[in-house]
Amino acid sequence: RGKPSPPLSTSDPQPAPAVDEEEAEEDEGEDGDPPPLRPEGFAPLRTCAARFGGRAYLFLSERNRDAFVANPARFAAGAPPPPYLRPRLCVVGATLGVDAVHAGIEPPVSTSLARELGVVEVSAAGAIEWALTSTVSTLSKDLYALLAAGQPATDELLVRAVCERVQAADCAARGYLLSGVPANLAQAELLFATLPPPHLAFEATLPLAEALARAEA
């Protein structure tokens, strides 16, 4: 919000929206709880702008904008921010299995890491489900035929599903984390013959004694 200003001048300030006192009191929760989310969602983020050198610069506060207007060449001549590198990660190991989750590891390591980094978690089961439900293709038909016959997906089909999944729009925008994939050498050779190798790969381990202790608990 806020319109670009003339060169080296500030943009017009935006008045704060009027808030009815009674409405504000109703919005307050009990015991200091935050007010409930309204149907229209959160208030939009307010920004202000300045224009310099044929470019518009957006700022989260008038203080930052005024500092830029006072000496724009200092900031505009600086090095541009580095390009965002969309992470490619891989986590394998016993702690990703269903048995490990039932033993008390919940959520799995891969899920926690994907949430922390904001990337898309891609597992073998998730990739197969995505291939079956996203579109009708040769891959989805081959997978459906195997699963309908009660047979597991072959390594080749599984890797094809994973490769198609990580090329989807959300993975391309945010990066992805392969969870439990590849599960064997054959899958690794097929996978990385098509995809670039991950930036980082992790092997999650859990000692047997610790797993038994968690299972007993």
Side-chain angles (χ1 to χ4, degrees):
R1 294 180 177 273
K3 62 182 181 180
S5 64
L8 301 184
S9 65
T10 60
S11 60
D12 297 333
Q14 296 188 8
V19 179
D20 185 74
E21 294 183 359
E22 295 182 359
E23 182 180 355
E25 292 179 358
E26 293 177 357
D27 284 347
E28 294 181 358
E30 299 180 358
D31 300 330
D33 293 338
L37 180 63
R38 296 185 176 184
E40 62 270 18
F42 293 104
L45 183 65
R46 293 187 174 275
T47 60
C48 47
R51 190 166 54 193
F52 176 74
R55 295 182 178 181
Y57 295 83
L58 300 180
F59 308 90
L60 292 179
S61 69
E62 294 183 359
R63 178 181 179 183
N64 293 343
R65 180 200 57 197
D66 294 341
F68 175 85
V69 170
N71 189 4
R74 171 190 172 191
F75 299 95
Y84 173 66
L85 181 64
R86 294 166 183 81
R88 300 191 306 268
L89 306 173
C90 178
V91 179
V92 296
T95 60
L96 298 172
V98 175
D99 294 339
V101 176
H102 289 171
I105 308 174
E106 190 176 354
V109 175
S110 57
T111 302
S112 299
L113 185 58
R115 291 176 181 173
E116 182 71 19
L117 298 178
V119 300
V120 180
E121 182 181 9
V122 178
S123 63
I128 290 174
E129 181 180 1
W130 184 87
L132 289 172
T133 58
S134 61
T135 184
V136 177
S137 63
T138 303
L139 173 61
S140 64
K141 293 179 180 179
D142 292 343
L143 285 171
Y144 182 81
L146 278 178
L147 298 178
Q151 300 178 10
T154 63
D155 288 341
E156 181 181 359
L157 290 178
L158 188 149
V159 168
R160 285 174 56 192
V162 170
C163 290
E164 290 197 8
R165 178 65 185 93
V166 300
Q167 294 177 27
D170 55 349
C171 293
R174 296 162 48 194
Y176 58 85
L177 182 149
L178 300 178
S179 175
V181 180
N184 53 49
L185 180 59
Q187 291 182 12
E189 292 175 345
L190 291 170
L191 186 65
F192 299 124
T194 305
L195 295 179
H199 297 118
L200 289 174
F202 305 89
E203 182 181 7
T205 61
L206 183 67
L208 178 60
E210 179 68 15
L212 294 176
R214 296 189 182 190
E216 292 176 356

